[in-house]
Amino acid sequence: MTVKHWFPLALGVVVALLIPAVTHDNYVIQLLNIAILNAIVVLGLNFATGWVGQINFGQAAFYGLGAYTTGIAAKAGLPWITTPFLSVVIVMAASLVLGLPTLRLRTYYLAMTTIGFGEIVRLIIVHWEPVTGGTSGLRAIPGIGVFGIGPQGQVQHYYLLIAVLAIAALVAARIRQSSLGRAMIATKDSEIAAEQSGVDTTRTKLIAFMIGAVYAGLAGCLYASSIRFISPDSFSGTQAILLMTMLIVGGMGSIPGCIIGAVGLTILPEALRFLGQWYLVLYGLGVIAVIVLAPGGLASLASRLPRWAGAR
Amino acid sequence: MLKIENLHVSYGHIEVLKGISFSVEMGEIVALIGGNGAGKTTTLSTISGLLRPTFGSISWKGEAIHGTAVETIVGAGIAHCPEGRRIFPGLTVRENLITGTASRAYKKAEVEDDLALVFELFPRLKERIKQGGWSLSGGEQQMLAIGRALMSRPNLLMLDEPSLGLAPIVIEQVFDKIVELNKRTGLGVLLVEQNSAMALEVAARAFVLETGSITLSGPASVLADDPRIREAYLGG
C-alpha cells in the first residue's frame, strides 16, 4: 500500500464516519444503509462477474433468499444470532446446486440459469403467502440483537453496516491477492491457459459464485433485521439488473468501484426525485455517459487522475 | 518418457491425426515440423488433455494419460506453452508466473526459488515484475508464457510456435534459452515450429508431420540435410 492507495481510502472512511454528524435526517441515513447493503451485494457479484467473467443474474435472488430466511426465522422466534448462519447455509446450498451443473460449461449458461433461478425465488416468495407474506411482504421483523444488546436507531445501524462493509471489502481484497484470486483472473483472461497452468477452472468458478452468494445472503440477513421490512420488489429481476449496472458503472473488478457504483446508483434516483417522472431519463443518460466515457467504470477515472496531474 | 502410439484425433468427421506414433526420451529436445494444418497443434493439445483421442494411446512415465483432466497432466510434469502465448493480461508479471504453480502444493520458498530461476533466464521479466501482462511486448509475452510453463516444474515442456510473431533476434534469444534450460536442468522439450531451420538446429531428433501422418523422422542433423526437407521446409 502506497500513499496513492491509502489516501483515498482514509478520506472515504472519514467522510463515511462524519455523515451522521452532518445530517440527522433518518430518511437519508436509511437510504445510506440500503446503499451500504447494496455495496456488499455488489462486492459479492464482483467475484463471479468482475473477476471470473461469468454473467450472474442471480445475485438479487440470493440477497432475497438471505433476507427471507432471516425474516422468517426471526419472526418464528429464533434468536437473532442464528439468522446469519441460517441465511449463509441456505444461499450456499442454493448456489452449489445451481453452480455445480452449470459452471462446468463455458459461455453464457450461468446467465440463463440464474435468470430462471431469480424468477423461481420470486414466485415462491409471492405465492407462499402464509410464510412469506406474499406481495405485501414481511413486517416488524425483530431487529439485530445478541443477548439483548443491539444497535438502536438508524445512526447506530449505519455505523454497524459501515463496519461490515469494511470487513467485506478487506476480505475481498485478501482473496484477490491469494492464489484463489489469481486463479479467478486467470480463468477470466483465458480459461484454456488457466487449465494449462494447472488451475481447476470449474472449481474456481464455483467457489467465486458461492462466495458471491454468501456476501448477498449476509447482506440480505442484515437488510431484514435492520430495515425490518422486506417485500419481493426489493429482490426482483429488475434489482438483479440494477446490481449488474452498479458493478459496470462503478468498475468491474475494482473493489472501490463496487462501492462507488452501489452507493451512487442507490442514492441517485432519490436525489433526482424532484424531476418527477423525468428522473429516469437523466438516470439513463448518466449511466450511458459513464459507460461511453469511462468504459472501465467510475473507478478507472481515479486511476487516470495521476496521469493528468503528471502531464502538467 | 512420453510415448505416443497410433494416435487418432478427429474434429467431428474430419480426422486430423491419422495414427501417429513417436516418443520423447528424458532430457531430449524433439522437434515436430510441418506445414499449416498438418496437425502439430492438435498433437500437443491432445497430449495436454484439451482434446481426446478417438483411438490410440498416450503414456507418460509408463502410465496412460489420455482422458485425464488438463490440470492433472500439468501436475504430472507436462507443461504446455500454447500457441499465441495466451498470457493473463489482467495479472501482473509476477502473478502470471505464480499462477503457473497452481498444479502443485504451494510452498513459499520453492516458489521464490523458481521465480529466481525464471528471472535468471529472462532478466527482462524481472524489470517488468509489477507490470500488467497486457503491457508487455510480443517477445516479453513469449518469455512470460515460457516462464509460466516452467513454474510448474515440468519434466517435459511442450512449446507451440515460440517464434510466432517475434523479431528474428528475439527468436534467436528464445531458442538459446530453450537449449540452455535443456542443458542445465535436463528438461525434455517437445517443440512445434514452422521455423523449421531453427527447430532442426536445436533439436536432437525430429518428426515431419504432413496432413496427419508422420512422413519422415530421424536425427535432426540428418533431416536438415535431406533434400525433401530442404525443398519443402527450408527454402531449397
Side-chain angles (χ1 to χ4, degrees), chain B residues 27-30 121-122 146 150 157 159 162 171-189 191 198-204:
Chain B
E28 193 183 27
I29 302 185
V30 172
L121 277 172
F122 304 114
I146 296 174
L150 291 175
L157 176 64
L159 292 169
I171 297 178
E172 194 118 1
Q173 283 170 6
V174 168
F175 276 85
D176 282 349
K177 296 297 183 188
I178 293 169
V179 174
E180 188 186 330
L181 258 177
N182 165 263
K183 290 216 173 96
R184 254 176 49 182
T185 63
L187 173 74
V189 178
L191 178 63
M198 203 53 130
L200 290 175
E201 206 172 291
V202 299

Side-chain angles (χ1 to χ4, degrees), chain A residues 48-190:
Chain A
T49 303
W51 288 340
V52 189
Q54 298 285 314
I55 312 280
N56 172 7
F57 284 112
Q59 197 67 349
F62 290 126
Y63 197 6
L65 220 49
Y68 272 89
T69 304
T70 292
I72 293 164
K75 287 197 76 135
L78 284 170
W80 181 83
I81 190 69
T82 61
T83 60
F85 296 99
L86 284 172
S87 294
V88 165
V89 167
I90 297 280
V91 293
M92 276 182 86
S95 57
L96 184 68
V97 169
L98 208 56
L100 208 53
T102 40
L103 288 168
R104 287 178 186 285
L105 308 164
R106 301 210 168 120
T107 70
Y108 302 111
Y109 289 97
L110 188 70
M112 292 189 280
T113 326
T114 49
I115 289 172
F117 171 69
E119 198 51 25
I120 292 168
V121 170
R122 193 188 67 84
L123 287 172
I124 292 175
I125 293 173
V126 169
H127 292 289
W128 200 13
E129 247 187 280
V131 178
T132 62
T135 46
S136 47
L138 288 178
R139 284 169 200 285
I141 297 165
I144 300 168
V146 181
F147 303 120
I149 304 164
Q152 304 299 319
Q154 297 291 357
V155 173
Q156 287 187 13
H157 277 97
Y158 173 82
Y159 284 121
L160 176 73
L161 294 176
I162 281 282
V164 176
L165 174 62
I167 293 168
L170 282 175
V171 169
R174 282 305 291 268
I175 291 175
R176 171 60 188 82
Q177 295 305 324
S178 71
S179 60
L180 177 63
R182 286 190 297 271
M184 288 180 189
I185 308 285
T187 303
K188 179 176 78 175
D189 283 351
S190 169

